[in-house]
Amino acid sequence: MLFAKPSLTEEPQSIRVANTKGDNPLIWSVLTVLQASNQSWKIHHLAAELQSQGLLHQLDENPGNDLFKRNFLLMNALFELQEILLPKQWLQVKAMEIQIFRLVPSNVNTLIMQDSSLRDYYLDWNNYDTSENVVRELLEAFWSNYKSYIGLNINLMNKGNALRVFELDESATARDIRKQWRRLALKWHPDRPDGDAARFREVCEAWQSLKDAA
């Protein structure tokens, strides 16, 4: 675990983390990775790189919470780093396009304002220990937005094929479908240790076909 769990008498973990010097322990590790490469990073590739270096470990026993907390730590570190690098460099913080630029764009103030709500969310440590229901909603929203990156095409999969991908039959209830979607998406998400981008794309395409019934 990156952080130890607090006892009942300790102050909340998120408050303790926010009060430590440097706040987020991933800030400088992220900077090292980004500066060592001229490429644009995707958030899950960045997470995988940090995991391979032993710098990002399991943060929660619940898979959904674990994925959310790792994403939160990374986004928090990125927005902190963005502020640190200004005004000499610009760190673009987009889930699928993370990169440091030597030249700061002329419209940097506009770009900062555009991301203000997202930045405020990830810089607020009170959101780190959010409830499981909120985590599920955020992850589902992320997976929905992810389709623009992985190139989903719901016309490629009919309901029968989608159910087979979900390992379900025609008798599956809406609850069965939603439960299986979360299980398989977490299992195959590229950010997971045993994730598979191709299988994740297939699951997402199946979900696009079945979500209205769920």
Side-chain angles (χ1 to χ4, degrees):
M1 299 288 285
L2 186 57
F3 301 121
K5 291 184 178 180
S7 67
L8 294 177
T9 58
E10 291 179 316
E11 62 183 343
Q13 174 177 316
S14 57
I15 302 301
R16 294 205 321 280
V17 172
N19 287 336
T20 60
K21 184 177 181 179
D23 291 344
N24 190 330
L26 293 180
I27 290 175
W28 307 114
S29 299
V30 168
L31 177 61
T32 298
V33 172
L34 295 179
Q35 286 187 328
S37 171
N38 292 323
Q39 73 182 63
S40 173
W41 289 80
K42 296 173 177 60
I43 191 70
H44 60 281
H45 289 167
L46 186 56
E49 176 63 23
L50 292 173
Q51 283 179 294
S52 71
Q53 296 182 19
L55 299 171
L56 189 58
H57 307 286
Q58 181 179 352
L59 298 168
D60 198 290
E61 294 178 358
N62 179 287
N65 289 2
D66 179 56
L67 182 57
F68 169 78
K69 287 182 177 181
R70 280 185 285 136
N71 181 74
F72 183 95
L73 282 183
L74 274 174
M75 293 298 289
N76 174 277
L78 287 166
F79 280 124
E80 289 278 11
L81 191 54
Q82 185 184 69
E83 184 176 345
I84 290 171
L85 292 175
L86 282 172
K88 294 184 177 181
Q89 292 178 302
W90 170 246
L91 172 56
Q92 179 172 272
V93 182
K94 303 292 183 183
M96 299 301 165
E97 202 171 355
I98 300 165
Q99 188 173 5
I100 294 177
F101 293 93
R102 294 183 179 274
L103 297 178
V104 177
S106 58
N107 64 334
V108 64
N109 290 330
T110 300
L111 295 174
I112 290 175
M113 287 297 297
Q114 288 175 347
D115 292 335
S116 61
S117 295
L118 193 65
R119 182 182 296 100
D120 290 345
Y121 179 85
Y122 282 112
L123 292 179
D124 184 352
W125 282 100
N126 290 316
N127 294 321
Y128 178 80
D129 284 318
T130 191
S131 70
E132 183 176 349
N133 287 336
V134 173
V135 169
R136 287 179 177 177
E137 291 175 6
L138 288 169
L139 289 177
E140 190 162 310
F142 170 77
W143 284 324
S144 179
N145 293 332
Y146 199 77
K147 65 183 179 182
S148 62
Y149 160 62
I150 62 177
L152 290 179
N153 185 347
I154 61 174
N155 294 324
L156 295 178
M157 189 174 298
N158 58 38
K159 182 179 179 181
N161 288 337
L163 285 171
R164 279 192 287 276
V165 170
F166 271 32
E167 302 168 9
L168 298 172
D169 57 32
E170 293 288 343
S171 65
T173 65
R175 182 178 180 180
D176 293 334
I177 292 173
R178 184 171 292 274
K179 181 178 180 181
Q180 194 70 337
W181 150 246
R182 289 171 176 159
R183 185 185 74 81
L184 293 175
L186 281 172
K187 177 180 180 180
W188 297 118
H189 193 284
D191 193 14
R192 303 291 294 164
D194 298 319
D196 184 304
R199 295 295 297 273
F200 179 71
R201 182 183 297 110
E202 185 180 41
V203 169
C204 286
E205 290 179 350
W207 172 244
Q208 293 302 309
S209 297
L210 298 172
K211 66 179 183 179
D212 290 340

